[in-house]
Amino acid sequence: MTINFNKYENGLVPAIIQDANTKTVLMLGFMNQEALDITNSTKQVTFFSRSKNRLWTKGEESGNFLQLIDVKVDCDQDTLLISAKPIGPTCHTGADTCWNETNMSNFGFLTELESIITQRKNDASESDSYVASLFKSGINKMAQKVGEEAVEVVIEAKDNNDDLFLNESADLLFHYLILLQAKGFTLRDVESILKARNK
């Protein structure tokens, strides 16, 4: 791995720190060659602190270390992407990230869809929505609906109409997300089980 530490006058390159599991960006620091060497040898992410004018291992005072998983360099060879496992909050304020974001798995639109389902379940003004009506119908009806959609996916899988198969798959996933919430769970709970099984 070649890194151009001479591109900038101070010999430092930006180091973007990303949670290896959630892919959330945690913080931005700066590294020189020595900081990178120490990071690689100790597996604890170490920076060159511009304010302290010295090497600084994240967590050396707080105990909130960043355990190194991987290092990548960008196409211009002047910026690092560090994948790490955070031990505790990353920001000195106590927040998960330096942008005050919660460091949790995000499944893109599916996470947004979970939020929409929660809103329609809890918001009285949404009482006429299909989602709200399913929650009112009770757990048995919701479970039955998931079963019906699963059967439809199986039927369409045996045919050659990809559009129908994908639409039934979307219906199944949508109703499964509703059932998960009815049981008090989210996709993150399912993800944690799958991760545990993958060990």
Side-chain angles (χ1 to χ4, degrees), residues 2-3 6 22 35 44-45 51 55 59 72 88 100 112 118 123 128 130 140 145 156 169 176 184 199:
T2 302
I3 301 161
N6 297 318
T22 66
Q44 302 287 350
V45 178
S51 58
L55 294 173
K72 291 184 174 70
N100 199 31
E112 183 180 338
T118 301
D123 189 346
D128 292 334
Y130 175 70
N140 289 343
K145 191 66 180 166
E156 294 304 333
S169 297
Y176 176 63
K199 290 181 181 177

Side-chain angles (χ1 to χ4, degrees), residues 88-195:
T90 298
C91 187
H92 70 281
T93 64
D96 286 352
T97 78
C98 290
W99 291 268
N100 199 31
E101 294 179 321
T102 303
N103 183 18
M104 294 190 306
S105 295
N106 187 307
F107 306 104
F109 176 71
L110 293 180
T111 298
E112 183 180 338
L113 184 56
E114 283 188 312
S115 297
I116 293 169
I117 290 169
T118 301
Q119 175 190 351
R120 292 189 178 163
K121 175 180 74 170
N122 297 329
D123 189 346
S125 67
E126 299 281 358
S127 59
D128 292 334
S129 76
Y130 175 70
V131 171
S133 69
L134 275 178
F135 278 102
K136 286 178 187 174
S137 69
I139 196 76
N140 289 343
K141 179 66 175 174
M142 284 182 271
Q144 177 186 342
K145 191 66 180 166
V146 170
E148 291 171 0
E149 297 298 344
V151 169
E152 290 175 13
V153 167
V154 171
I155 291 170
E156 294 304 333
K158 295 183 174 189
D159 290 334
N160 293 320
N161 190 323
D162 291 342
D163 285 341
L164 284 176
F165 172 71
L166 288 173
N167 274 282
E168 293 300 345
S169 297
D171 288 346
L172 173 59
L173 183 53
F174 175 69
H175 288 90
Y176 176 63
L177 291 176
I178 293 172
L179 183 60
L180 268 179
Q181 286 206 27
K183 296 293 290 181
F185 301 110
T186 68
L187 281 174
R188 291 186 185 100
D189 298 300
V190 177
E191 179 196 38
S192 67
I193 292 173
L194 291 173
K195 282 182 177 178

Side-chain angles (χ1 to χ4, degrees), residues 9-39:
E9 289 183 13
N10 56 15
L12 303 176
V13 296
I16 301 163
I17 313 302
Q18 182 181 49
D19 187 302
N21 290 319
T22 66
K23 307 306 179 190
T24 300
V25 175
L26 302 173
M27 66 173 289
L28 171 70
F30 293 88
M31 289 186 172
N32 58 13
Q33 183 68 63
E34 189 178 4
L36 181 60
D37 291 343
I38 291 172
T39 296

